[in-house]
Amino acid sequence: MGVFEIGLLYIGAAFLLFFSGVPIAFALGSVALLFMFIFMPSANIGMVAQTLYGELNNFTLLAIPLFILMGAAIGKTRAAVDLYESTHRWLYWLPGGLGVANVTGCAIFAAMCGSSPATCAAIGSMGIPEMRKRGYSAELAAGLIAAGGTLGILIPPSITLIIYGIITEQSIGRLFMAGVVPGIMLAFFFALWVVYASVREKRRALAGMSPSQAALSQTEEHFSWRERFETIPRLMPFMALIVVVMAAMYGGWATPSEVAGIGALGALLMVALVYGVYRWRDLKDILSGAARESCMIMMIIATAFLFTYVMSYLHITQSATEWVVSLPLSKWAYLFWVNVLLVVLGFFLPPVAIILMVTPVILPGLQAHGFDLIWYGVIMTILMEMGLIHPPVGLNLFVINGIAPDITFKQIVYGVIPFIVIMVLSIVLLAVFPQIVMWLPDHMYGK
């Protein structure tokens, strides 16, 4: 049996388990072990534990559970509520101000969390009912939160960028800094669409109302300057935490893992001192939730490393790489088809699994065509964001379905379509103007 046939069987077996509902980590590990038994010497099987330990024994990976703990401390307390209410009071006066406040809340929460589902759940559980109450359509409210939640894997700290950096051996600090401007840009484009869509929906609603109903619906809530300034003490701890984390990271004072430790400790101190969350019964939910999510991600990483190790041993990766590099494609045609492949895989797999499985195959081609790997890390992350909100396995769609069961899955899908279009256009913009990503000289990047 040739390498091509073995490769087809290997990838096919993995996808068969994915579609059967087996968790990603166990699917990858099972297929890898099965092919080790069949095609590899028994001595290699005895090295599985050592291989997994060797791959996970990486100080940079420590950043993942620590950033998850940081996000859990904020997401499972009143901190998220205060963040949401504060942004709403300051932005209510804008057309579609409540929607813009939700986008802003997602962006700020993402800057402290790094997890899209956590951002989606924390802001959406408050934002969707409030938007529905104020006349936003189910599609717009659900689509906004689902898409806003994806900012959690682009705006630093980003777990996705950490894993990409480890696989490609790129600086995590540089990747984090590269994600700042595109993340803000994407949040700005989301906000612009929300303003346009909310104004359009409001005009349509007013057109179908009687004069008295229209006058009543025009009554807007109002917050005085005093009420707005009252929220500053509640916003300050968030801003202080973000400033400390960003300064430590981009000032070169600490590695990403050390910064994650600072952020996790700072978040725990904030919820303890400001919100009184220090008793064991309060901390138990935070710690157990962070432990569950961390174990899930680390298991996927461990078994994906094993999966790619077997691929390499059986020369599947090398053969696929040689075939991809030998394709008679121009630089931009290669980028286009690689991106199409990632979008298709996003229909079925989570971002972590895609990055770990696909990056070793496409990396030589990217380097051969002269693409900057820091720049492509941002492009790939936006593609992973799209995967979180397009069916059938868009994780954020199911998060929204869980926190807003009155909104149908069909309405959620319709709601995210404009945001997917915005992401595609943003990728085109970053390809035309790569300086949006590479906006700092090399000597100003962190570690």
Side-chain angles (χ1 to χ4, degrees), residues 367-442:
Q367 293 173 316
H369 286 290
F371 288 107
D372 187 282
L373 296 185
I374 297 291
W375 172 83
Y376 191 71
V378 174
I379 300 297
M380 191 175 196
T381 301
I382 296 175
L383 291 168
M384 298 300 98
E385 287 184 316
M386 291 170 57
L388 288 169
I389 59 173
H390 64 54
V393 195
L395 181 56
N396 282 13
L397 304 182
F398 294 103
V399 173
I400 296 296
N401 201 223
I403 62 177
D406 58 312
I407 301 178
T408 66
F409 193 76
K410 183 179 179 181
Q411 289 175 310
I412 299 171
V413 171
Y414 278 132
V416 300
I417 290 174
F419 297 97
I420 293 175
V421 173
I422 289 172
M423 289 178 182
V424 172
L425 294 177
S426 297
I427 290 174
V428 174
L429 186 63
L430 294 178
V432 176
F433 301 103
Q435 57 268 33
I436 296 174
V437 175
M438 313 304 294
W439 59 284
L440 278 183
D442 287 349

Side-chain angles (χ1 to χ4, degrees), residues 192-211:
L192 282 182
W193 169 255
V194 170
V195 170
Y196 168 76
S198 62
V199 170
R200 182 186 60 181
E201 287 184 352
K202 190 171 184 178
R203 285 176 179 169
R204 287 177 180 174
L206 290 174
M209 293 181 182
S210 65

Side-chain angles (χ1 to χ4, degrees), residues 344-369:
V344 172
L345 290 175
F347 280 97
F348 312 106
L349 298 173
V352 172
I354 295 174
I355 291 173
L356 290 166
M357 292 172 61
V358 178
T359 303
V361 176
I362 66 173
L363 184 61
L366 292 171
Q367 293 173 316
H369 286 290

Side-chain angles (χ1 to χ4, degrees), residues 32-71:
L33 287 173
L34 175 63
F35 276 70
M36 288 181 80
F37 273 109
I38 298 173
F39 296 105
M40 295 171 64
S42 57
N44 291 81
I45 299 171
M47 298 289 288
V48 168
Q50 184 177 339
T51 301
L52 294 180
Y53 177 80
E55 296 292 353
L56 291 179
N57 187 25
N58 186 331
F59 184 67
T60 305
L61 283 175
L62 185 60
I64 294 175
L66 289 173
F67 277 133
I68 289 173
L69 177 58
M70 179 180 168

Side-chain angles (χ1 to χ4, degrees), residues 113-363:
C113 175
S115 168
S116 284
T119 302
C120 199
I123 303 300
S125 59
M126 299 167 288
I128 290 178
E130 291 297 322
M131 285 190 284
R132 297 296 307 282
K133 193 188 303 180
R134 289 167 174 79
Y136 286 69
S137 67
E139 290 85 354
L140 180 58
L144 163 61
I145 296 297
T150 65
L151 296 171
I153 66 170
L154 180 59
I155 296 177
S158 164
I159 293 169
T160 302
L161 287 175
I162 291 173
I163 296 171
Y164 175 85
I166 292 170
I167 295 295
T168 59
E169 298 181 349
Q170 299 298 305
S171 164
I172 307 298
R174 294 189 66 186
L175 283 165
F176 276 9
M177 185 58 86
V180 172
V181 175
I184 295 173
M185 179 189 76
L186 210 53
F188 177 71
F189 289 160
F190 286 176
L192 282 182
W193 169 255
V194 170
V195 170
Y196 168 76
S198 62
V199 170
R200 182 186 60 181
E201 287 184 352
K202 190 171 184 178
R203 285 176 179 169
R204 287 177 180 174
L206 290 174
M209 293 181 182
S210 65
S212 59
Q213 289 175 322
L216 184 62
S217 69
Q218 295 276 33
T219 304
E220 301 282 355
E221 62 183 331
H222 176 77
F223 295 103
S224 66
W225 282 106
R226 179 180 178 181
E227 289 173 317
R228 279 182 269 182
F229 279 112
E230 282 176 353
T231 66
I232 290 181
R234 287 181 280 175
L235 276 176
M236 287 307 294
F238 294 99
M239 297 299 106
L241 186 59
I242 291 174
V243 168
V244 168
V245 168
M246 296 299 182
M249 174 72 75
Y250 306 129
W253 302 337
T255 65
S257 298
E258 292 165 348
V259 170
I262 294 169
L265 178 61
L268 289 173
L269 287 175
M270 182 181 78
V271 298
L273 297 175
V274 179
Y275 298 96
V277 179
Y278 54 83
R279 299 175 183 82
W280 173 245
R281 66 174 180 271
D282 300 320
L283 293 174
K284 184 179 179 182
D285 285 343
I286 294 173
L287 297 175
S288 61
R292 281 194 300 270
E293 187 171 349
S294 299
C295 287
M296 177 189 69
I297 292 176
M298 299 302 280
M299 279 292 294
I300 292 175
I301 292 173
T303 53
F305 275 129
L306 182 64
F307 188 84
T308 54
Y309 166 71
V310 175
M311 283 181 69
S312 178
Y313 187 92
L314 298 176
H315 292 280
I316 298 170
T317 304
Q318 295 89 325
S319 299
T321 299
E322 290 172 4
W323 176 74
V324 169
V325 172
S326 67
L327 290 174
L329 296 174
S330 67
K331 175 179 180 178
W332 296 108
Y334 176 81
L335 180 70
F336 173 78
W337 287 112
V338 165
N339 289 351
V340 169
L341 170 65
L342 294 175
V343 169
V344 172
L345 290 175
F347 280 97
F348 312 106
L349 298 173
V352 172
I354 295 174
I355 291 173
L356 290 166
M357 292 172 61
V358 178
T359 303
V361 176
I362 66 173
L363 184 61

